Amino acid sequence: MRVPYTHESVQLTGRWDTTNPRAAVTTTTGAYIEFAFEGTTALACFDILTNAHPLVRLWIQVDGGAMTEAPIDSYLRVTAPTDGRHTVRIIYKGGTEHDRRWYTPLTGKVTFLGVQTAKPVAIEKDDRKIIEFVGDSITEGVLIDVDYHEGTTPADQMCYIDTINRVYQDDVCATYAWLTAEKLNLRPIIMGYGAVGTTRVGQGYVPVAQEAYPYNFHSSPVTRPQPDYIVINHGANDRSKPADQYLAGYEKLLDVILAMNPGAKVIALSAFCGAHHEELGAFIAKYNEKHAANVTFIDSTGWISPEPLHPLRDGHRAVAEKLVPILKDVLFF
């Protein structure tokens, strides 16, 4: 039988547009689908009509085991080795940050239609506390892996090869954000778009951070559950702008986040490249005093090398190792 994403056997995590009961849509890496069934086979169904090539990549995981990477397709079949109850998780791993992820036609999205299986069963609800990470290409996992064409491509073709290989080079599940959520046993919601900052729009026509935050994408107000914790990491793409411009946009971003999430604990994490970190720390102190707020500032200066701007896997692990114990103290774990 075919069941929609609204069925009790299905659970969505992340920034999903659910206005259409027949199709849930996300444009943020790290958003994921979970579904449960009894038997040996299930078919996850997607709409890829407007998706661009190369297609976005997914992680597919069965019963909490190893994850397998695959491109999105109209149908993805999962076959379990034994009969019985099984749980599948499908994660939006990464894609090409230049794809349209804000305005229609959306070419870098995941549109989930539902599951076809003989016996869907109610999925165990994930009631863990939610942590949301708000950032840019670093937060979404851009260029974590850069070895797909090393030593094999003529210099004049590197730009083209990088474009078609980007879907293999990006991985949200290897980011500081995902790793931190895992180590703290929190349910992650990731909002990261390449090139976005508080002073500049991003790839795929995404608006500046403070204008984008309230939406899944254009004309789709966010409907995800309110997070318990929110970590902001913006500044890398604002490093060429004066600090006062960056902070003016940051203030608007904080205003929006606090208004939408009055019960959340908000953390301002400075850019890993060191941009405007002293100014941001001073600004957060003044903001708290002015608004009677309790935003926590964490200075990440020196945690990793500023080069490359997009940390590789070891860089993200190093950030998570620094961030986790600080958050444990700040969040009273």
Side-chain angles (χ1 to χ4, degrees):
M1 64 183 294
R2 173 86 167 262
V3 298
Y5 75 86
T6 54
H7 192 264
E8 65 177 357
S9 63
V10 180
Q11 181 169 232
L12 303 178
T13 295
R15 286 174 162 247
W16 290 89
D17 177 279
T18 55
T19 54
N20 182 345
R22 294 184 295 275
V25 183
T26 186
T27 65
T28 49
T29 65
Y32 59 90
I33 304 151
E34 294 171 293
F35 61 88
F37 69 97
E38 285 187 0
T40 58
T41 303
L43 200 66
C45 308
F46 300 88
D47 178 356
I48 63 168
L49 182 63
T50 64
N51 280 80
H53 288 266
L55 295 168
V56 302
R57 310 293 288 191
L58 308 174
W59 282 123
I60 303 175
Q61 184 180 41
V62 181
D63 296 333
M67 298 194 299
T68 299
E69 181 180 344
I72 194 171
D73 211 333
S74 298
Y75 304 101
L76 293 174
R77 188 181 306 276
V78 173
T79 301
T82 59
D83 203 348
R85 180 188 174 94
H86 302 285
T87 302
V88 178
R89 182 165 68 159
I90 300 177
I91 308 167
Y92 183 174
K93 172 185 180 284
T96 303
E97 60 178 332
H98 302 86
D99 279 344
R100 295 174 63 95
R101 292 191 287 163
W102 202 257
Y103 299 101
T104 57
L106 299 171
T107 63
K109 46 76 175 176
V110 172
T111 302
F112 178 57
L113 302 178
V115 179
Q116 185 173 321
T117 187
K119 189 177 181 181
V121 295
I123 192 167
E124 182 179 348
K125 297 304 180 185
D126 188 346
D127 59 0
R128 293 176 298 167
K129 289 188 175 182
I130 295 173
I131 186 167
E132 181 177 58
F133 290 87
V134 182
D136 49 34
S137 55
I138 296 173
T139 298
E140 77 162 316
V142 166
L143 290 174
I144 278 179
D145 297 304
V146 295
D147 57 349
Y148 287 94
H149 53 77
E150 185 177 357
T152 64
T153 306
D156 61 351
Q157 297 180 26
M158 288 292 283
C159 180
Y160 172 71
I161 294 297
D162 177 69
T163 298
I164 64 174
N165 270 327
R166 178 58 63 84
V167 292
Y168 306 104
Q169 295 173 314
D170 299 358
D171 184 1
V172 69
C173 293
T175 63
Y176 78 92
W178 190 275
L179 296 174
T180 295
E182 281 195 331
K183 290 177 183 293
L184 295 176
N185 192 31
L186 298 172
R187 191 177 180 188
I189 294 180
I190 311 294
M191 183 194 183
Y193 290 103
V196 167
T198 69
T199 63
R200 58 172 290 173
V201 300
Q203 303 285 12
Y205 305 102
V206 177
V208 292
Q210 56 272 27
E211 294 177 10
Y213 182 80
Y215 298 94
N216 299 308
F217 45 82
H218 180 63
S219 297
S220 173
V222 68
T223 55
R224 53 94 179 101
Q226 283 206 352
D228 299 281
Y229 315 116
I230 301 172
V231 178
I232 307 168
N233 182 238
H234 272 296
N237 294 315
D238 304 295
R239 62 194 183 281
S240 64
K241 298 295 178 67
D244 61 340
Q245 291 184 26
Y246 163 62
L247 296 175
Y250 207 105
E251 182 170 17
K252 292 177 181 178
L253 177 60
L254 278 180
D255 289 345
V256 170
I257 288 177
L258 291 174
M260 290 181 61
N261 309 282
K265 173 61 181 175
V266 178
I267 297 96
L269 176 64
S270 73
F272 306 129
C273 64
H276 303 311
H277 67 103
E278 292 182 351
E279 294 90 340
L280 180 60
F283 163 77
I284 294 297
K286 292 179 181 178
Y287 185 93
N288 285 337
E289 183 177 357
K290 177 181 178 181
H291 297 277
N294 188 29
V295 178
T296 295
F297 172 67
I298 299 176
D299 192 341
S300 68
T301 304
W303 286 9
I304 56 174
S305 170
E307 296 295 336
L309 180 64
H310 296 98
L312 304 181
R313 288 178 180 268
D314 58 349
H316 279 278
R317 284 194 297 268
V319 170
E321 288 171 1
K322 296 280 189 180
L323 183 57
V324 166
I326 297 174
L327 288 185
K328 282 185 176 179
D329 182 53
V330 170
L331 306 181
F332 307 109
F333 272 74

